[in-house]
Amino acid sequence: MSAGSDVVARLLKALPKAAAATPVKDYPTVRLAAPTDLLLAARLLKDELGFTYLEMVTAVDWLGPTSMSGFVCRSNPNPLSRKPAAPPLAPVPGPGVNYRPVLDLLWSFGNLGENGKVFLRLEVPRDRAEVPSLTGLFAAADWQEREAFDLFGVRFAGHPNLIKILTPDFLKGHPLRKDYVHAKDQYDEE
Amino acid sequence: MDTMFVNLGPQHPSTHGVLRMGLTLAGEVITKAVPDIGYLHRGTEKLMEARSYAQCVVLTDRWDYCSAMPNNLAFCLSAEKLLGTQVPPRAQTLRVVMCELNRIASHLIFLGTYGIDIGAFTPFLYVFREREMILDLYEALCGARLTYNYIRLGGVASDVDADWISKCREFLEFFKPRVDEYDTLLSFNPIFLARTKEVGLISQSAAVSWGLSGPNLRGSGVSYDVRKSEPYCGYEAYDFDVPVGEHGSCWDRYFCRVQEMRQSVRIVEQALAKLPEGELSAKVPKIPKPPPGEAYAHVEASRGDLGIFLVSDGGAAPYRIHVRAPCFINLAILQDILVGKKVADVIAVLGSFDIVLGEVDR
């Protein structure tokens, strides 16, 4: 992974406050220090290092294990078995995991010519999750940022059309946040 | 000039599922196109946060239900990276065989339905005859025809016997001349060419910027295939070409798929010839609890670059899973390229992307 470490070195040189992060397994990963660094890093990747392919935009909510209150997960009995259905699996906090009220945003860029890939990540507070939009540089950011907005409530400043994309209009809240509680609607059975 | 608003879908034979397109027309020309998705959103990413890894494999089948094997594979590769599992060689080869057969089956659906979109009904009947044979092979293998749950953590679920292999070889021999038949039936049919050859052009730079992948990207002349760029399951040992198109038209995307079927046949033949003996699966605990960490694995699924980003916090269920769904990302470009086109071309362009709404909405 010599090419990968070159990319990381270039990024760290341009952004003194950024740091090499614990890698997403086997891929070079850089942690940005502030939202303002994102556009700088993306421009550097796209214009000078050949990473013209925005592969993925997503987020991780580090609040803690998924809240099971309101989680629709009915146990599924086996009609051929006398045993009762196994109860749904309720996630428990993992020991030694640093749960904290942040959204960990993640971008992955690809260099199609040299088959390189690099991950950028950035932590933002859950209640003020706002980062610049990459739609000006990569058209692929359009729907993927809308998805992160819809499911996580991240605001992408400068996005031309930041509206819901996957969830229905009546749904309140952001389902992939760990504290999301499903409110009963017309489609629930009971 | 007066404009008119037309709702295409959500129930329309040409949208291949529940997709709505809000089209604003000035006469016959489209001035604005707004794809509206989410009708099939089942929140599988959230569902997986309260299910064990083995149960998650079942859910992966439901994304791209026309080609479920690569979905199984992408998830398992990612989870195996977290667990540090080494998959035995026989399972690796079987995974390649099944994924390539699934690519053929999936491209056959595309050929048939795209023909119908354009107005050619006959090829649909031919391709379903061939697809049926692949589904029969799958049924003999794992009992399912659509949602297989065949590729499991650490390996595969069941073995192939000599009878299965000879039936598979029979199918390949039967199938090879059929591809030439499709060329005479559909690919070089003058009406079909007139409807698709100059329609829906996407330049190389636009295709890359919009993040297209799979045959849609290669149709624009970008030779990018995960099987070559980041080989998994031993793809580096197979001899195959990556077909690319010239102009990025609907026909180029279509013809890429036709040529890919020939390459898939080559790969399956090579895999069957060298199928190693040995274990079917590595030892994986019944309820695996990967150590805390993050992994990303992607595969060249039938419809493009399918990536799975997995986060584990040491629990029995994934802490977070993100699906890089190729159909979802491929569909976004429609709002851009449909503007200025005639309304009659909408179906030709939409069909050429080969979307499966199960994967768009997840």
Side-chain angles (χ1 to χ4, degrees):
Chain A
M1 273 279 177
S2 63
S5 49
D6 279 358
V7 173
V8 172
R10 282 291 301 274
L11 279 167
L12 294 184
K13 208 177 141 210
L15 309 159
K17 273 189 273 168
T22 337
V24 172
K25 275 208 174 138
D26 309 333
Y27 294 111
T29 309
V30 170
R31 180 169 292 289
L32 302 174
T36 41
D37 285 354
L38 176 66
L39 281 175
L40 284 172
R43 262 201 205 101
L44 177 74
L45 282 172
K46 187 187 175 195
D47 298 337
E48 291 178 36
L49 301 172
F51 286 80
T52 49
Y53 193 70
L54 176 65
E55 194 163 292
M56 186 173 80
V57 180
T58 189
V60 181
D61 183 357
W62 278 109
L63 188 67
T66 310
S67 154
M68 290 302 284
S69 63
F71 193 102
V72 183
C73 182
R74 283 187 204 91
S75 16
N76 195 2
N78 176 359
L80 302 176
S81 160
R82 274 155 202 259
K83 277 191 240 157
L89 184 82
V92 289
V97 181
N98 178 19
Y99 297 113
R100 53 208 187 273
V102 297
L103 289 179
D104 198 359
L105 301 176
L106 187 81
W107 292 263
S108 119
F109 300 84
N111 183 336
L112 299 190
E114 293 165 23
N115 299 334
K117 196 191 300 297
V118 63
F119 283 85
L120 292 186
R121 41 195 339 174
L122 171 67
E123 276 188 11
V124 290
R126 291 176 90 248
D127 45 352
R128 279 172 291 110
E130 184 162 329
V131 287
S133 164
L134 291 185
T135 39
L137 293 168
F138 304 91
D142 184 346
W143 277 26
Q144 297 197 58
E145 286 181 354
R146 277 176 67 189
E147 186 191 352
F149 164 73
D150 190 2
L151 302 177
F152 281 98
V154 184
R155 305 202 73 84
F156 290 89
H159 191 291
N161 183 29
L162 196 64
I163 52 171
K164 274 166 164 289
I165 187 165
L166 287 175
T167 58
D169 294 341
F170 61 78
L171 190 129
K172 299 268 190 305
H174 308 289
L176 282 183
R177 287 198 172 208
K178 294 290 182 180
D179 56 354
Y180 172 79
V181 177
H182 173 74
K184 264 201 178 163
D185 59 41
Q186 58 199 342
Y187 302 107
D188 282 315
E189 276 169 23
E190 294 110 40
Chain B
M1 192 179 179
D2 278 352
T3 57
M4 184 165 70
F5 184 77
V6 176
N7 257 322
L8 179 76
Q11 297 290 338
H12 188 278
S14 304
T15 54
H16 304 278
V18 272
L19 166 71
R20 188 179 77 96
M21 297 253 279
L23 303 172
T24 310
L25 308 176
E28 264 197 77
V29 179
I30 290 159
T31 56
K32 194 176 178 207
V34 183
D36 181 11
I37 62 169
Y39 293 93
L40 206 56
H41 179 62
R42 297 149 292 176
T44 41
E45 290 172 11
K46 183 82 176 180
L47 292 176
M48 286 178 175
E49 289 176 6
R51 275 163 178 82
S52 72
Y53 285 82
Q55 291 172 318
C56 290
V57 180
V58 180
L59 287 177
T60 63
D61 280 327
R62 274 78 186 165
W63 298 327
D64 181 353
Y65 43 74
C66 288
S67 100
M69 289 286 184
N71 301 353
N72 290 175
L73 179 61
F75 178 82
C76 289
L77 284 180
S78 190
E80 281 155 9
K81 258 193 195 178
L82 276 177
L83 285 161
T85 313
Q86 289 297 326
V87 179
R90 185 171 177 91
Q92 302 255 23
T93 315
L94 283 176
R95 285 174 171 195
V96 169
V97 172
M98 301 315 157
C99 284
E100 292 306 322
L101 282 177
N102 220 170
R103 192 186 311 279
I104 297 175
S106 159
H107 285 358
L108 283 174
I109 286 207
F110 164 76
L111 247 71
T113 51
Y114 195 46
I116 290 191
D117 287 349
I118 302 292
F121 191 84
T122 322
F124 184 77
L125 304 172
Y126 284 78
V127 298
F128 265 71
R129 176 186 60 192
E130 274 80 89
R131 183 180 149 82
E132 191 65 21
M133 300 168 89
I134 298 180
L135 296 191
D136 284 345
L137 284 171
Y138 281 150
E139 197 175 358
L141 181 75
C142 59
R145 295 162 56 84
L146 207 60
T147 50
Y148 311 109
N149 191 19
Y150 173 71
I151 296 173
R152 306 264 176 97
L153 292 175
V156 295
S158 56
D159 204 355
V160 297
D161 52 14
D163 184 44
W164 194 92
I165 292 175
S166 73
K167 276 204 180 114
C168 187
R169 287 218 171 92
E170 252 171 57
F171 163 75
L172 294 176
E173 286 313 311
F174 173 81
F175 183 68
K176 273 188 259 175
R178 295 286 96 77
V179 187
D180 302 325
E181 201 173 275
Y182 305 144
D183 282 350
T184 55
L185 263 174
L186 194 60
S187 309
F188 297 101
N189 177 316
I191 304 171
F192 183 73
L193 282 171
R195 284 291 310 274
T196 55
K197 192 88 200 192
E198 305 290 329
V199 175
L201 297 175
I202 299 174
S203 69
Q204 248 188 44
S205 59
V208 171
S209 175
W210 280 96
L212 298 190
S213 53
N216 299 324
L217 178 65
R218 294 192 284 272
S220 294
V222 184
S223 172
Y224 174 69
D225 188 317
V226 183
R227 290 174 292 176
K228 291 280 190 196
S229 70
E230 267 185 69
Y232 49 92
C233 291
Y235 264 111
E236 63 273 19
Y238 297 93
D239 182 24
F240 66 101
D241 303 323
V242 177
V244 292
E246 277 175 59
H247 313 291
S249 69
C250 291
W251 188 83
D252 280 314
R253 290 190 280 280
Y254 161 89
F255 201 58
C256 262
R257 294 193 174 91
V258 176
Q259 290 169 297
E260 268 181 25
M261 293 198 293
R262 294 181 214 265
Q263 300 304 327
S264 291
V265 170
R266 277 176 73 188
I267 297 173
V268 177
E269 278 177 338
Q270 293 171 43
L272 288 181
K274 67 164 197 189
L275 188 63
E277 292 297 324
E279 291 289 309
L280 274 186
S281 179
K283 286 233 173 340
V284 178
K286 240 182 182 171
I287 299 183
K289 292 183 179 172
E294 301 175 338
Y296 181 74
H298 59 160
V299 302
E300 188 68 29
S302 311
R303 285 170 177 77
D305 176 357
L306 173 69
I308 303 289
F309 172 65
L310 259 181
V311 183
S312 168
D313 65 346
Y319 183 74
R320 160 95 178 104
I321 170 170
H322 175 76
V323 190
R324 186 211 184 268
C327 291
F328 173 74
I329 296 167
N330 288 344
L331 194 60
I333 197 176
L334 276 184
Q335 54 187 333
D336 189 50
I337 60 165
L338 285 182
V339 175
K341 300 277 176 346
K342 295 269 172 57
V343 66
D345 290 337
V346 172
I347 302 298
V349 175
L350 173 62
S352 74
F353 281 98
D354 189 20
I355 50 164
V356 164
L357 269 298
E359 189 175 271
V360 173
D361 295 339
R362 279 153 288 149

